[in-house]
Amino acid sequence: MATTTLRALNGADETPASLSNATLIMVDYQNVYTSGVMELDGWKPALEAASQLLTAARRAGATVIHVQEAGYDVESEAGQIHESVAPVDGETVVVKDVPNGFHNTDLGKHVDAAGHESVIIAGFMTNMCVLFTTEGASLRGNRPTVVADACATRTLQTMHAGGTSLTARQVHDGALATITDRYGVVVPSIAGLK
């Protein structure tokens, strides 16, 4: 059975963003996702990819905005942004309390001030804050591109009886498929940015 995306049906531009002409939004790269009950599958390679993305964005002169989840006490060790992708002077940090980084925050104001319609998004967790921040960007008129290998998530239980679970890979791929279908462009890695 042939399939198409809602974006294709609506004639959306499928050109990935460019680091030199976009704002980079780094979502919830907090220590809480690297160990303990919230440890994500594949967090280490995702953080390595995120670090490369961040370095390239800084070299390109892109505006970088970090988003941090308030539910993990941003002052605690667990709630802090991982040192490998920590903000430097001049980079904005937006603290949010729901998965969509644009909801009830000033993220949109900072994105608008950067002057680019395109945003590049990466972070933790793919199916939660990355997906909903991408949705938020799309619904406000930005053009999101998500870098897949710089995102990670965890195994989740389904509603089916008997304890059926989706692997982290399935959850990750499902979230990226949702983004591809409706909210933005997904590239496998930094190499996919034009």
Side-chain angles (χ1 to χ4, degrees):
M1 171 195 233
T3 62
T4 190
T5 67
L6 294 171
R7 287 173 54 79
L9 289 173
N10 290 310
D13 183 356
E14 297 298 333
T15 307
S18 164
L19 284 169
S20 62
N21 196 24
T23 301
L24 176 62
I25 303 173
M26 303 284 284
V27 179
D28 293 0
Y29 283 112
Q30 290 163 269
N31 292 321
V32 69
Y33 294 117
T34 65
S35 64
V37 69
M38 289 303 295
E39 182 174 357
L40 305 183
D41 291 7
W43 67 265
K44 190 174 275 188
L47 260 179
E48 289 169 1
S51 180
Q52 292 171 3
L53 176 62
L54 181 57
T55 298
R58 288 171 175 161
R59 278 193 200 126
T63 298
V64 177
I65 303 170
H66 301 264
V67 177
Q68 199 172 11
E69 172 57 50
Y72 298 116
D73 181 8
V74 297
E75 299 302 320
S76 71
E77 178 64 26
Q80 290 177 8
I81 296 171
H82 193 275
E83 64 183 0
S84 66
V85 292
V88 296
D89 286 345
E91 292 178 352
T92 299
V93 178
V94 172
V95 178
K96 64 178 180 56
D97 58 9
V98 298
N100 178 349
F102 289 94
H103 182 73
N104 284 337
T105 71
D106 59 358
L107 178 58
K109 178 184 86 170
H110 293 293
V111 168
D112 292 346
H116 301 293
E117 182 182 24
S118 294
V119 293
I120 298 169
I121 299 173
F124 293 158
M125 295 184 289
T126 318
N127 60 301
M128 192 59 62
C129 297
V130 172
L131 170 61
F132 290 107
T133 298
T134 303
E135 175 196 38
S138 174
L139 294 179
R140 71 183 304 275
N142 293 111
R143 296 183 61 248
T145 297
V146 175
V147 181
D149 72 349
C151 301
T153 192
R154 59 195 173 100
T155 297
L156 293 177
Q157 188 129 2
T158 70
M159 78 288 188
H160 299 293
T164 304
S165 294
L166 296 176
T167 66
R169 183 59 186 218
Q170 290 170 321
V171 175
H172 175 80
D173 288 348
L176 294 175
T178 298
I179 291 169
T180 299
D181 190 37
R182 174 61 178 88
Y183 298 115
V185 175
V186 174
V187 294
S189 69
I190 190 173
L193 300 175
K194 64 175 193 132

